[in-house]
Amino acid sequence: MFDVIISGGGPTGMMLASELRLHKVDVLVLEKDAEPSKAVRSLGLHPRSIEIMDQRGLLERFLAHGQQYPGVGHFAGITGPPPTNLDTAHGYVLGIPQPVTDRLLAERAVELGAQIRRGSEVTNVEQDDDGVSVELSDGTRLRSHWLVGCDGGRSLVRRLLGIGFPGEPAKTEWLLAEVEVTTTPDELTKVVEEVRRTHKGFGIGPTGDGLHRAVVPAASVAEDRTSTPTLEEFRTQLRAYAGTDFGVHSPRWMSRFTDTTRLADQYRVGRVLLAGDAAHVHPPIGGQGLNLGIQDAFNLGWKLAAEVTGWAPKGLLDSYFTERHPVAEDVLTMTRAQSELISPEPGPQAVRRMLTELAKFEDVGRFLAEKTTSIGIRYDFGEGPELLGRRLRDISLSRGHLYGLTRQGRGLLLDQTGKLSVRGWTDRIDYIEDVSEELDSPAVLLRPDGHVAWIGDKQNDLLRHLPTWFGSAS
Ligand SMILES: Cc1cc2nc3c(=O)[nH]c(=O)nc-3n(C[C@H](O)[C@H](O)[C@H](O)COP(=O)(O)OP(=O)(O)OC[C@H]3O[C@@H](n4cnc5c(N)ncnc54)[C@H](O)[C@@H]3O)c2cc1C
């Protein structure tokens, strides 16, 4: 009997496994593929995900494998001047191919003691009052108290639960590959610039290791979207859009993706939950899917661990849905808007020209940056100061920096008054008496995901709020 079984060992599943292991939860990750995928879908991490890596002590590993790009991303390829004083210590995009992100997250989960079984495909899930029964394709049956479907956009777990997945089906499909080319670099650049004047959904450029990443719209939406495109299909589409196939050959991998946009209408049924692409799919424009999945896992991990450990207050686990569903809804809005803005039709092009002008205004740039990077997220914790419900950025303290104190995934009371106490909750919350010039609140209570759950200087008020997030005193 496992505490938690995670179906799907992508970035969401691995991040969740690590978060659960920080609380000594017994976790098994079941991944159907025997080997990790070579396909490079995501190209990088946004500031909020970089912050998360810092909060858990993984930043150095990620920085060592990635490249920092100044700025905070783009909106449908529209970039204005980067907004000043963005509320983060990590105001850059970290370029890092998804297979590397996936590997680093898997290594971390294993280090923390998660069990990972590759080549294990979940084929059925049934739940009762006491737990969940999971069946694998080889007939193995397993049992756990909880199951989380992190099994991607075509999630079997979501379908077995009968969770609604409303949204729009694919209108367009793209072919994506890493290939070798015979065209000279100058000629390639010239052609790409010309085609991209009208077709923003087309591109081909060097990966840095001798190959080229190519993306081109497909002729139609394939019936079986899991099927690998042929090189001939690729060449035909490149010729249709660019007048040349660039002499593409020897692909490292090829795949297809679409602009399907859907959002699960529940993230939990009984003892089974969903996270990542299993809960939401959208076109990759803006590069938010993997970031969103990692952040789902970061929100869910400590709440599910609290449930398993037995101290979860009523409603804590359900706050995973009430907090994260609106965030995903927002990302879907952003990607729908961006998909329109890359259309070559005159209407969307006119809106694009206007938005290009608007993006030059500081406030517009800031609004878009806070959305794409997720640093603007504010959960609804009720009335209170502006910081309440937001995650606190990394700040300097006399004993180091804040994120350096959050490695274990526990709650934290940062007390600048020296008068407060978390006695009764020290098994769940760290108490830090320190001061920072960057914090103008007397004391803040941080949840394990770094969001500010309480601000104040009165012990009585603190005691009233502690149980909401951390359960009864022990
Ligand atoms: C072209 C493209 C570019 C992208 N670029 C970006 C980007 O720049 N930035 C960004 O943030 N996101 C990007 N994304 C999105 C990103 O790739 C996904 O959002 C991310 O991989 C989702 O992670 P996940 O773990 O939720 O799901 P997945 O990565 O899909 O992982 C799900 C895992 O579950 C396994 N699985 C499925 N079914 C079963 C089963 N029955 N039993 C056991 N295991 C199962 C699968 O094998 C898979 O390993 C891009 C996507 C595409 C297609």
Side-chain angles (χ1 to χ4, degrees):
M1 186 83 171
F2 293 90
D3 290 331
V4 179
I5 290 180
I6 296 173
S7 176
T12 306
M14 292 303 183
M15 184 75 208
L16 181 62
S18 292
E19 285 300 293
L20 290 166
R21 281 305 301 153
L22 285 176
H23 303 277
K24 308 280 179 282
V25 171
D26 188 18
V27 188
L28 172 67
V29 180
L30 298 169
E31 167 52 53
K32 77 173 162 53
D33 292 346
E35 296 294 330
S37 169
K38 287 197 192 101
V40 182
R41 290 182 287 161
S42 169
L43 291 173
L45 298 185
H46 285 150
R48 181 60 193 134
S49 302
I50 301 169
E51 288 181 347
I52 285 175
M53 298 312 152
D54 195 8
Q55 282 174 268
R56 293 297 184 259
L58 296 173
L59 183 62
E60 297 309 320
R61 299 182 197 190
F62 274 83
L63 291 182
H65 288 87
Q67 185 166 357
Q68 295 180 41
Y69 295 99
V72 281
H74 61 83
F75 189 74
I78 298 170
T79 42
T84 51
N85 300 327
L86 214 58
D87 181 34
T88 177
H90 299 286
Y92 54 90
V93 172
L94 186 66
I96 183 165
Q98 182 160 347
V100 180
T101 297
D102 291 358
R103 177 171 61 77
L104 293 177
L105 292 176
E107 284 171 3
R108 166 75 169 170
V110 170
E111 276 167 29
L112 290 172
Q115 291 186 54
I116 295 172
R117 286 192 206 165
R118 290 199 170 273
S120 298
E121 181 177 3
V122 172
T123 51
N124 198 22
V125 171
E126 282 171 13
Q127 58 175 319
D128 51 52
D129 290 347
D130 305 321
V132 187
S133 299
V134 178
E135 200 173 317
L136 306 186
S137 56
D138 64 3
T140 307
R141 290 181 73 89
L142 300 163
R143 232 4 227 166
S144 60
H145 293 291
W146 296 89
L147 178 106
V148 188
C150 298
D151 48 349
R154 296 184 187 89
S155 171
L156 175 75
V157 174
R158 186 188 65 234
R159 283 182 275 135
L160 289 174
L161 291 178
I163 290 181
F165 203 37
E168 302 93 60
K171 292 194 291 286
T172 309
E173 178 177 294
W174 286 265
L175 309 177
L176 178 69
E178 282 182 355
V179 283
E180 291 183 39
V181 300
T182 54
T183 309
T184 63
D186 286 351
E187 179 62 15
L188 186 132
T189 310
K190 211 171 97 196
V191 175
V192 171
E193 270 176 17
E194 187 54 37
V195 180
R196 280 186 59 83
R197 272 185 224 278
T198 37
H199 294 289
K200 306 275 186 242
F202 166 91
I204 177 165
T207 53
D209 60 356
L211 270 73
H212 282 69
R213 180 179 171 96
V215 59
V216 61
S220 60
V221 176
E223 231 159 77
D224 176 8
R225 274 173 263 152
T226 57
S227 65
T228 308
T230 62
L231 195 54
E232 204 37 54
E233 200 178 346
F234 232 100
R235 288 182 176 133
T236 306
Q237 288 312 106
L238 288 170
R239 285 195 291 265
Y241 276 80
T244 166
D245 63 18
F246 304 95
V248 294
H249 64 98
S250 313
R252 179 149 58 193
W253 53 266
M254 295 189 287
S255 71
R256 43 179 107 236
F257 65 93
T258 71
D259 56 359
T260 306
T261 305
R262 295 184 182 279
L263 177 58
D265 55 22
Q266 294 173 75
Y267 283 12
R268 173 187 176 189
V269 175
R271 294 178 165 275
V272 186
L273 296 114
L274 298 178
D277 274 17
H280 35 70
V281 291
H282 54 82
I285 186 163
Q288 282 186 275
L290 176 143
N291 287 272
L292 187 59
I294 285 177
Q295 291 161 32
D296 280 350
F298 204 57
N299 184 287
L300 174 60
W302 68 279
K303 295 174 181 174
L304 186 53
E307 199 69 48
V308 170
T309 318
W311 59 258
K314 197 167 175 300
L316 182 70
L317 190 54
D318 287 331
S319 72
Y320 164 59
F321 176 74
T322 51
E323 289 174 3
R324 296 302 299 171
H325 186 266
V327 171
E329 228 166 6
D330 223 28
V331 170
L332 262 55
T333 299
M334 293 280 286
T335 51
R336 282 186 179 107
Q338 291 181 81
S339 299
E340 290 299 317
L341 288 167
I342 62 166
S343 157
E345 296 296 318
Q349 283 299 302
V351 179
R352 186 182 177 89
R353 282 193 296 278
M354 283 183 65
L355 197 70
T356 305
E357 289 304 310
L358 287 171
K360 293 176 186 158
F361 289 96
E362 168 85 16
D363 283 352
V364 177
R366 178 178 304 280
F367 172 84
L368 293 175
E370 287 182 353
K371 291 268 184 202
T372 44
T373 61
S374 302
I375 62 169
I377 290 171
R378 184 178 189 217
Y379 299 139
D380 182 5
F381 295 172
E383 292 280 301
E386 181 52 29
L387 190 57
L388 186 70
R390 292 185 186 277
R391 64 82 179 97
L392 183 58
R393 63 171 287 169
D394 195 22
I395 55 175
S396 303
L397 300 168
S398 63
R399 69 182 67 189
H401 71 124
L402 176 68
Y403 285 5
L405 305 173
T406 62
R407 304 289 192 245
Q408 301 309 316
R410 290 158 53 82
L412 188 149
L413 180 70
L414 176 57
D415 181 11
Q416 302 201 93
T417 71
K419 292 188 201 143
L420 301 169
S421 158
V422 288
R423 199 172 313 124
W425 283 271
T426 49
D427 54 338
R428 284 151 266 175
I429 305 176
D430 293 325
Y431 172 80
I432 307 285
E433 184 189 336
D434 207 334
V435 287
S436 172
E437 285 179 2
E438 297 167 74
L439 182 66
D440 62 5
S441 310
V444 287
L445 176 67
L446 303 182
R447 306 193 314 184
D449 59 358
H451 281 257
V452 178
W454 174 83
I455 301 172
D457 58 0
K458 303 270 183 302
Q459 182 69 22
N460 280 351
D461 192 41
L462 174 64
L463 289 175
R464 265 202 309 279
H465 283 84
L466 277 169
T468 309
W469 300 109
F470 294 101
S472 313
S474 52

